[in-house]
Each structure stands twice: as structure tokens, then as C-alpha cells.
Amino acid sequence: MQIINNSTINKSARSVLSLTQAHLLYSLIAEGMNDLLKRSVLQRNDRSLNLNPETELKRYFGARAVLGDQRPRQRNRQFHRTTWMTNPKDSWPRFSRPGISMALLETKDGIHYFTFEHGREYQQVQFKFLDAVESMDPNNIVALLQLNPYHIDSLLQLSDVCRIQEDQEMARDLIERALYSFECAFHPLFSLTSGTSRLDYLRPENRAFYLALYKHMMFLEKRGCPRTALEYCKLILSLDPDSDPLCMLLLIDFLTLRSREYQSLLQLYQDWEEHRNLSQLPNFAFSTALCHFHLSQQDDADPEESSKQRSNADQMLQHALIMFPGVLTPLLDLCTVQADAAVTSHSFFGPKSQLGQPPALAQLTALYVGRTYNLWREAPVMLWLEESVKEVLRRVDAADPLVEECQNKRKQRYQSAPRNIHRHVLLSEIKEATSSLPLEVTTQPVMGFDPLPPLDSVSSYSRPERLHVGASNESTLSLFFRSLLPNFNLQVSGVARAGQELNQEVNRLMVAMRDMLANIRFQEPPREDNPYRDEEEWD
């Protein structure tokens, strides 16, 4: 490694509240700022919004490769309502409104507050679904979905089972069907583009929409459509930017880097840093530095501008390494890079930096490293990282005041994480992060249709009381999802017999679902009023 020239770093730090309580931790990333939303990257016009992955795929591979022989057969397609988020398929069951609607609660300061509502018949189906989850027989959910093919929570729950069983196509199809059902229920004033439509996550009827969007977003990212996934990430964040119930600010930087929208991420950082202290999150501290580095490497960049970007990148990366030294070792491990002996033997980056991290910071660090390590594997990026590490060690040995300042901040903050960060960790399914979850999270039922619901939920209707039969009130499906967590202990759960039958039940569920979806077919008469419509290319 070569030691780069000594560069000064801004030693001023924005003051933030001490994180001695759980809700104060998330105050770093969740404070009211509706005025900034109106000029942020979350506000898009109709042309810039593209939630259809085919548009991105056509940009990469061409329309012919993506569409194949769809055009000649378009007259035999079923007629479906045109929607933004999904392309309805002929193989889907005939759509009839399942009993979900959307109501406008109030309009305040230009912000519209909406909520989904369940009709009486849908409520009865929801009660049957909850009974099916608790019945210890997953086939009851399949039977419910046969009668109600657009019941949202059943689609979400079974999609998780399909995905875990590596049936990605079916899992994705079930989520798209759920999104189609939601979009057909939108209120006329509800907008996907303005950034002024809100949905309260405290209401159970709204939570399924958040989760369907999140799961669809992750399918898109894994499918190689990061730009479309980024649009969904912005959409989820815009629904409740103050509370950010799914912690999209812990993910948006990764999707922006994957999309190579470097200026977009820097603009978000500039607009929100003063109010949300984004620099105190490991993902923003490192990702913004990486943005500046990539901008400095662009071939068409002006030499003076390139030099400026590189200087910013060096300063920001050094500051990130000093503030979050626990990132380096696991990052290099996942990148399969062996650090110099001078680095591994130094106390600043050694094992002590891992063991000394507060619990919440360990979760945030593991999330960032597990999610973005591939972005650091490029040779120029790794060389830049090596140079910065050498410079940081020189500053540590020289007793730079910033080192002690950051150490004090780490001790005062990040002591415990609120429920929404735990929820994000569960949804991320990043092994390094889930292994750091506390026992009070990993020892409770985790259901795919509503993971870690808020403790102060606002319910518009209640489930009728019913007698619970049996020694255990935890279902086989709940056990299945909880068993994926690293510290799951079957004996602690007290349901060893149910655990022994788990694989058999899940396999039986998969067979039943495949049979159901293969046999449900509804044919519509040919329609001439549904012409084939190409999506617009990216701007």
C-alpha cells in the first residue's frame, strides 16, 4: 500500500441527540421535513416515473429480445386494466374487486393522507386467513387462496414460501398479483409521482402495501433492474418519509450506486444531511465517498473537476473509516482481500473494533457490508480504499483529535435500535445482520405478511375472539420463517414435534400451490380495445 498525501478533513461535526433510548437512534434518519420533500429526489414527474422493469430490460437488451413473440399473440390476451406497477398476465385468475378500497382521510399543508379499507366480506376472509395461519396446516391457506385468488396477505405469505423453496418465478408472480389488486383500489387523488401521498404504517390495512412494494423491489434488484428498483425505493420512502417504517434510507444508497445515479445520491445527501444527519449512518458515510470517487474516474470529466471530486472522496472515506472502523475487516473478508499485516495488527482496525461496537451500530455495519461489498471489489476502488486506510492509520498514530471525537460519538450513540430497524434487518435477510438481532426479536413469531408489527397499531376492526386449541399458539409457517434466523433454537420454542413436521408441511404446501396455479385458468373473449402499448424508454 502507498500512503497518499496528507489531506485535511473537516473536523466540525453536526450535533445530534444522544441515542440513549431506542427511538432516539432513528432520529438520525427520521425527522419531519415535508418542505424538503417537495424539492427532493422523491418528487418525480410522470415521465421520470417508470415502475415497469421491461422498460429497463429493453434499454439493455432491446425490445425484440425482451418481448419475443408477444406482439403476434396480443389479440388473444385477456383484457386487464392498464396499471403502472404491473403487467397483468393471461394466466392470472379473473379479477373481481376483492373488497379493498382506499379513502382520503385528510389534506394538510398540501399532503394527502390516505388509508386502505377492508370491506365486510374481505374482513371475513382476513379472519379465515388468520385462522389458517394458526391451524398448523398450510394447505388451509392454499384452499383460502383458491376461493379468494386476490387476498393480499395470503399472496404475501405464500410468496415467501415459494421464494424460500427457490421457486422465484411463482414467488414474484404472487407479489405482482397483490400489487395489481392494490392499484385497482387506488383513490383518484392518490399519486405515485408527487411525493405528497401518505399511508400510515400503523394501520394494518396499509402495511401489506408497503411489504408488497418492498418484496417486488427486491425481486427487481435481483433480476438486474436496479433503476426500476430504485424507483420503488423512492416510492416506499415517500409514503411515510417521517417515520420511514421500512428504513428505506438504509437501502436507497445501494440502489442508487447500482444504478450509477451518483449525482442523485449526492443531492439527497445534501438536501437531508442537515435535518437527518445522514453522515452518522455507515451506509451514507461510505456510499457518498464512493459516489465522489466514481465521478472523479469518469473519462469525460474536466481535469479540475475530477481532481476536486477525488479530494472530496479521499476526505469523506477517511472520515467514514475513522467514524466506523468496524466496517473495514468484514468488508475485506467478503471481498476476499487479505489486508496488510500493518492493518490487521493495528488495534484501530483489529478485532477490538468489532467487539467494541454498540449493538445497533453492529447491525447497521453488518447491513451495509453484507449488501454492498460487491461494489468495493473493483480494482480501482480497492486501491483507493488501501490508500485511505494507510492515511487513516497515520492520523490515528499521530493522535488526530477527530479519532477521539468519533470514538466518543460511538460510545454515546447506537446503543439500541428501534423496531423499524429490526424490521428492515429481517426483511433484508442478510445473514451477518440477522445474527446480531436481539433475542426479544428472534424468539417471537415472524410472519411474512406482517413482520414485527408496530406495538401501537391503529386497527379499524377487530378479530372475533376464538378458542385456541392445543399447547402451542405458534403455527408451522411461523416456525418455518423463524427457523431461518441464525440463533433459532427449536427446544427453546417448545414445539419440537411441530418442527419435525415442518419440512413435510412446507413441501406439501408447495405441491398444492403449484397444482392450484396450474389449474386456475379463466378465458376472456378476445377484445379489440386493448392494443399493444410500448413503454417509454428511460429519459
Side-chain angles (χ1 to χ4, degrees):
M1 298 184 183
Q2 298 295 326
I3 300 178
I4 62 174
N5 294 331
N6 183 23
S7 58
T8 59
I9 190 169
N10 183 6
K11 299 179 183 179
S12 64
R14 302 183 186 278
S15 59
V16 296
L17 296 177
S18 175
L19 297 181
T20 58
Q21 299 179 4
H23 72 278
L24 291 181
L25 169 62
Y26 201 66
S27 67
L28 292 174
I29 56 177
E31 297 177 4
M33 50 185 303
N34 290 334
D35 56 331
L36 282 179
L37 280 176
K38 295 178 181 178
R39 59 185 178 87
S40 74
V41 295
L42 299 184
Q43 185 179 10
R44 290 96 70 206
N45 56 40
D46 290 343
R47 183 174 177 81
S48 67
L49 174 72
N50 199 314
L51 302 176
N52 185 353
E54 284 189 0
T55 304
E56 186 170 4
L57 292 173
K58 284 190 292 184
R59 182 190 181 196
Y60 297 147
F61 306 110
R64 184 179 298 275
V66 174
L67 299 178
D69 60 348
Q70 291 184 26
R71 285 181 184 271
R73 297 185 301 163
Q74 60 92 11
R75 292 194 176 188
N76 295 324
R77 299 166 64 194
Q78 291 190 52
F79 175 75
H80 293 280
R81 172 179 172 176
T82 300
T83 53
W84 281 100
M85 297 188 294
T86 59
N87 286 327
K89 302 175 182 178
D90 295 338
S91 60
W92 287 2
R94 188 203 322 260
F95 179 79
S96 59
R97 294 190 179 276
I100 297 179
S101 59
M102 179 183 275
L104 175 63
L105 297 177
E106 64 173 337
T107 300
K108 184 178 180 181
D109 299 328
I111 304 298
H112 304 293
Y113 296 87
F114 298 90
T115 184
F116 285 102
E117 295 180 336
H118 293 171
R120 181 169 299 180
E121 291 184 3
Y122 193 92
Q123 293 179 20
Q124 297 303 315
V125 177
Q126 187 71 7
F127 298 150
K128 293 178 181 178
F129 167 75
L130 297 176
D131 292 343
V133 169
E134 296 176 354
S135 68
M136 303 292 288
D137 187 356
N139 291 293
N140 290 335
I141 300 181
V142 176
L144 182 66
L145 195 59
Q146 285 179 307
L147 298 176
N148 306 273
Y150 288 90
H151 179 254
I152 303 298
D153 285 346
S154 294
L155 294 170
L156 295 179
Q157 189 73 73
L158 295 183
S159 175
D160 277 350
V161 176
C162 293
R163 180 176 51 80
I164 294 168
Q165 291 292 308
E166 299 184 355
D167 193 340
Q168 302 296 325
E169 183 177 356
M170 183 184 294
R172 185 170 62 245
D173 185 84
L174 293 171
I175 294 299
E176 291 177 359
R177 192 193 302 179
L179 287 176
Y180 180 75
S181 182
F182 272 125
E183 189 165 358
C184 290
F186 281 176
H187 189 279
L189 294 180
F190 184 80
S191 172
L192 297 172
T193 63
S194 66
T196 59
S197 296
R198 302 286 184 268
L199 284 173
D200 190 352
Y201 195 82
L202 297 181
R203 295 178 178 269
E205 298 89 340
N206 296 338
R207 294 204 285 266
F209 185 56
Y210 278 88
L211 295 169
L213 290 173
Y214 182 93
K215 294 173 188 294
H216 187 57
M217 173 188 66
M218 297 312 297
F219 279 128
L220 292 171
E221 191 276 326
K222 293 177 181 178
R223 192 180 173 188
C225 300
R227 174 96 183 256
T228 310
L230 176 61
E231 293 294 333
Y232 276 93
C233 184
K234 294 177 182 178
L235 172 58
I236 297 171
L237 182 57
S238 73
L239 294 176
D240 192 351
D242 297 335
S243 300
D244 193 9
L246 300 188
C247 296
M248 289 295 98
L249 285 179
L250 300 180
L251 175 63
I252 192 170
D253 63 298
F254 168 67
L255 294 176
T256 307
L257 285 168
R258 288 268 283 115
S259 305
R260 300 181 181 179
E261 298 287 329
Y262 307 125
Q263 291 291 358
S264 175
L265 182 62
L266 295 177
Q267 185 65 50
L268 174 65
Y269 179 81
Q270 178 181 339
D271 289 346
W272 290 24
E273 164 64 6
E274 181 178 355
H275 295 266
R276 300 202 180 187
N277 296 283
L278 298 182
S279 60
Q280 302 305 297
L281 295 170
N283 59 309
F284 267 93
F286 283 90
S287 292
T288 50
L290 193 55
C291 281
H292 282 293
F293 177 78
H294 283 302
L295 290 173
S296 72
Q297 300 297 300
Q298 292 181 344
D299 295 334
D300 57 348
D302 178 76
E304 183 177 351
E305 177 65 21
S306 178
S307 177
K308 179 181 178 181
Q309 294 287 357
R310 179 56 186 265
S311 177
N312 289 336
D314 292 341
Q315 293 182 30
M316 296 183 75
L317 181 57
Q318 291 172 30
H319 197 153
L321 288 168
I322 292 174
M323 183 65 195
F324 307 107
V327 169
L328 181 64
T329 299
L331 179 61
L332 294 179
D333 289 343
L334 288 178
C335 292
T336 64
V337 172
Q338 181 65 44
D340 289 349
V343 176
T344 56
S345 61
H346 200 287
S347 60
F348 190 73
F349 288 122
K352 186 178 178 180
S353 66
Q354 304 293 312
L355 300 176
Q357 289 188 117
L361 180 56
Q363 293 176 24
L364 296 175
T365 297
L367 271 173
Y368 179 72
V369 173
R371 181 173 278 149
T372 64
Y373 68 93
N374 278 320
L375 302 178
W376 293 84
R377 278 181 161 172
E378 300 177 14
V381 174
M382 191 57 63
L383 289 174
W384 167 59
L385 176 61
E386 291 177 355
E387 294 173 353
S388 298
V389 168
K390 281 294 186 181
E391 178 63 18
V392 166
L393 290 180
R394 187 199 64 78
R395 295 174 63 176
V396 171
D397 293 337
D400 190 318
L402 180 64
V403 177
E404 183 178 0
E405 178 184 339
C406 291
Q407 183 180 6
N408 293 332
K409 289 180 180 179
R410 289 195 301 274
K411 291 180 179 179
Q412 297 172 3
R413 305 168 184 170
Y414 316 106
Q415 293 304 311
S416 58
R419 197 171 180 85
N420 48 359
I421 288 184
H422 290 158
R423 186 182 302 120
H424 180 91
V425 171
L426 287 172
L427 289 172
S428 72
E429 298 182 352
I430 295 174
K431 181 179 63 175
E432 295 81 4
T434 55
S435 63
S436 64
L437 287 171
L439 284 177
E440 59 266 23
V441 174
T442 59
T443 55
Q444 61 179 287
V446 177
M447 302 306 297
F449 67 92
D450 192 6
L452 292 186
L455 299 178
D456 52 348
S457 294
V458 179
S459 300
S460 59
Y461 62 94
S462 58
R463 182 185 179 191
E465 295 184 4
R466 60 189 297 269
L467 296 177
H468 296 277
V469 181
S472 173
N473 63 351
E474 186 170 10
S475 71
T476 302
L477 281 176
S478 175
L479 276 174
F480 178 72
F481 290 113
R482 194 153 63 82
S483 68
L484 301 177
L485 299 175
N487 54 354
F488 171 74
N489 188 322
L490 187 59
Q491 298 302 322
V492 172
S493 68
V495 284
R497 181 179 179 182
Q500 293 172 357
E501 299 174 355
L502 185 57
N503 289 334
Q504 180 181 356
E505 291 290 339
V506 172
N507 291 335
R508 191 173 66 182
L509 170 65
M510 292 299 299
V511 172
M513 279 198 303
R514 290 191 179 96
D515 182 70
M516 176 195 72
L517 296 178
N519 289 297
I520 294 182
R521 294 290 187 272
F522 294 92
Q523 296 297 328
E524 293 283 351
R527 297 287 298 266
E528 298 294 335
D529 54 348
N530 186 32
Y532 189 87
R533 179 172 62 90
D534 283 329
E535 299 290 343
E536 294 179 349
E537 296 293 336
W538 291 106
D539 294 337

